[in-house]
Amino acid sequence: MNAALDVIVVGGGIAGMAFATRLVDRNDQQPVRVRIFSKAAVEASNSFAAQGGVAAVMRLEDSFEQHIRDTMNVGAGRNDPDVVRLVVGEGPAMIRSMIDLGAHFDSDATGRLQLAREGGHSMARVVHHRDRTGEEIVRVLQARVRSSPHIEVIEPQRALDLLVEGEGTDRQCRGIRAMDLRSGDVMDHFASLVVLATGGAGQVYERTTNPIGATGDGVAMAIRADVDLRDMAFVQFHPTALHTTEPGPAFLISEAVRGAGARLSAPDGRPLMKAIHDMGDLAPRNVIARAIHREMQLTGSSHLWLDASPMGVARFAMEFPAIEKRCREMGIVAGRDRIPVVPAAHYMCGGIRTDDSGRTALKGLFALGECASSGLHGADRLASNSLLEALVIPKRAAGIVFTSAPIEKLRSSRPYRENWLSRRTSAIVTRALGSLRHAMSTHVGIIREEGGMLHTLCIIAMLERQIAPIWNRRRWSPELIDLRDLLVVARSITSAALAEPASMGAHYVEVK
Ligand code: SIN
């Protein structure tokens, strides 16, 4: 029997699970053992929360060329055209494969898939499961993960750093250092291959649709290990998060609601988008988010309105049950009353630079999903292309790891430090998180300005100096660990934004 290929996946969302399940499908080629390190249950992930769906060419009146054109238009041409062609081309087969695996997507009485339309798409092409597509895909993948004897999910584990050995071109990722969030013990775990699938970093901003776990862990680990990134300047703000005064992640009002006929309006009732873009309420997200942001600044309003009355109450409840329920909890009758909306940080278009199969510049390290930058999205992401990417690239990665990773005798995990966990968060950490988020939202958000970005870099440096002594005391609260990563990611976003020569896609600089 050959030695097993031993793989660590960091992150238990759709990209990580898609990779793990595709890899163990190839177990006949080579025995394989996959350990998924996850800091929280998958229900707390961005993947699970995804409302929209999977963009794919599923109709004769649509074409790969049009999907490619829409992707490149929204990405402002910054995309890698070969990756766009490849991922878009895999769309229909991926949808069929997910259906074969048991995914239920909305279809009409004849069994034809119902397709939603979202921003930047020239036609309806978003395959979905009501407004809970992420949850449906998670359900299918999780069942496969749970039933595989070759996959082990280890949680709650907070990955802290990559273990890298060697120098120069011999540098190789050998594993991860992670903290067990129950015992506080920090261990070094070794593997033939490490796959980062840690999701986004929306928590770097004050208002985000991302869950509290979206703290850029994988990107920060890659930065500390000196692994190449790409396109970090491009952070997508979703135009329509539900406006509330409650703390915590903002609830998303899916763009598919606008695709079904809802319209944005200014505080005085004026339709917002008609005069601004020829795609109106379905313009690329960066255009709409900026228009809302400007209108809010101009009118001093805390939010704008989404009028879904053309759809009516019954249709709204049928097509968007999760959104309808959330609105109802706030006393809003969706499909009749206007919904208060506001932009919120939603998706990191850049990330750890990979090729079209998830390989990074560091041997032994792959990156998948939102923490990675395959080149698909460019300067802004076409709606629902991310779930497609999170299914397609992991499948390709699983196809090549046997030739990319050395099969070595497994080194057993080794304790690094016992109980480093502190259950108490220092007030300095809480304040520092607030200051970081405020600076990023004010100066490196939807509309940026050079002086503000430079000021933000100074704030980041000051906060790093403030937390250094707390970090060195070696009693780390989960908030402190998150802050350490968020500071690294914030610096990367801000420096990348300052280095961009011109406004493009989601990166927009106002010259004063
Ligand atoms: C949405 O449903 O509006 C979000 C979908 C996405 O971000 O791709």
Side-chain angles (χ1 to χ4, degrees), residues 51-52 118 236 238 252 254-256 285 346 381 383-384 386:
Q51 293 180 356
E118 293 188 50
Q236 178 178 85
H238 196 291
L252 187 69
S254 173
E255 207 158 55
R285 287 183 184 166
H346 185 59
R381 175 184 62 99
S384 290
S386 43

Side-chain angles (χ1 to χ4, degrees), residues 460-480:
I460 292 169
M462 182 194 74
L463 297 175
E464 280 169 343
R465 279 196 302 277
Q466 272 179 13
I467 68 154
I470 308 177
W471 184 261
N472 293 337
R473 261 181 246 145
R474 312 211 153 163
R475 295 287 292 175
W476 302 332
S477 68
E479 291 78 8
L480 176 64

Side-chain angles (χ1 to χ4, degrees), residues 370-492:
E370 189 172 346
C371 73
S373 169
S374 68
L376 173 67
H377 306 309
D380 198 5
R381 175 184 62 99
L382 182 68
S384 290
N385 264 358
S386 43
L387 283 186
L388 177 63
E389 183 191 39
L391 294 167
V392 169
I393 306 271
K395 179 169 179 237
R396 293 177 61 79
I400 64 159
V401 294
F402 290 110
T403 52
S404 309
I407 315 284
E408 290 166 343
K409 193 170 166 304
L410 181 62
R411 281 195 263 171
S412 30
S413 300
R414 158 177 93 190
Y416 182 67
R417 286 281 186 281
E418 273 178 19
N419 196 6
W420 269 15
L421 182 63
S422 163
R423 306 271 170 206
R424 269 195 49 238
T425 301
S426 110
I428 298 174
V429 170
T430 309
R431 260 201 315 273
L433 265 171
S435 306
L436 175 68
R437 288 176 176 145
H438 182 70
M440 289 299 288
S441 305
T442 311
H443 303 300
V444 204
I446 297 174
I447 296 182
R448 302 162 173 186
E449 181 264 312
E450 193 184 4
M453 291 191 279
L454 289 168
H455 176 62
T456 302
L457 284 183
C458 295
I459 292 180
I460 292 169
M462 182 194 74
L463 297 175
E464 280 169 343
R465 279 196 302 277
Q466 272 179 13
I467 68 154
I470 308 177
W471 184 261
N472 293 337
R473 261 181 246 145
R474 312 211 153 163
R475 295 287 292 175
W476 302 332
S477 68
E479 291 78 8
L480 176 64
I481 298 171
D482 289 347
L483 175 60
R484 170 185 181 240
D485 283 350
L486 287 169
L487 284 165
V488 171
V489 175
R491 179 189 293 285
S492 171

Side-chain angles (χ1 to χ4, degrees), residues 191-365:
S192 311
L193 183 79
V194 173
V195 178
L196 294 174
T198 51
Q203 288 297 327
V204 87
Y205 292 97
E206 282 174 319
R207 187 182 293 118
T208 177
T209 61
N210 293 184
I212 53 166
T215 45
D217 318 1
V219 172
M221 287 160 69
I223 293 172
R224 284 191 290 270
D226 213 9
V227 181
D228 279 1
L229 307 185
R230 167 170 46 198
D231 292 343
M232 285 297 289
F234 305 107
V235 179
Q236 178 178 85
F237 281 72
H238 196 291
T240 55
L242 184 64
H243 175 260
T244 70
T245 49
E246 290 164 21
F251 184 84
L252 187 69
I253 307 294
S254 173
E255 207 158 55
V257 174
R258 275 174 281 132
R263 297 288 166 257
L264 283 158
S265 58
D268 59 7
R270 217 171 356 104
L272 184 75
M273 289 309 299
K274 216 167 152 199
I276 294 179
H277 197 278
D278 54 8
M279 293 182 89
D281 288 87
L282 291 176
R285 287 183 184 166
N286 67 78
V287 176
I288 303 188
R290 260 194 313 275
I292 297 177
H293 185 81
R294 285 213 169 97
E295 185 69 26
M296 282 168 47
Q297 280 187 329
L298 222 60
T299 57
S301 172
S302 60
H303 58 274
L304 295 199
W305 297 100
L306 186 65
D307 176 9
S309 61
M311 213 182 305
V313 176
R315 180 174 167 208
F316 198 109
M318 165 74 90
E319 293 184 16
F320 305 105
I323 301 174
E324 188 274 336
K325 178 168 175 281
R326 183 70 185 93
C327 286
R328 190 157 21 91
E329 284 163 7
M330 285 184 62
I332 299 165
V333 179
R336 185 196 74 186
D337 304 340
R338 295 181 309 166
I339 303 171
V341 290
V342 68
H346 185 59
Y347 192 87
M348 187 171 64
C349 302
I352 306 160
R353 181 188 281 269
T354 72
D355 67 4
D356 61 15
S357 303
R359 245 183 309 229
T360 73
L362 177 64
K363 263 188 248 159
L365 181 71

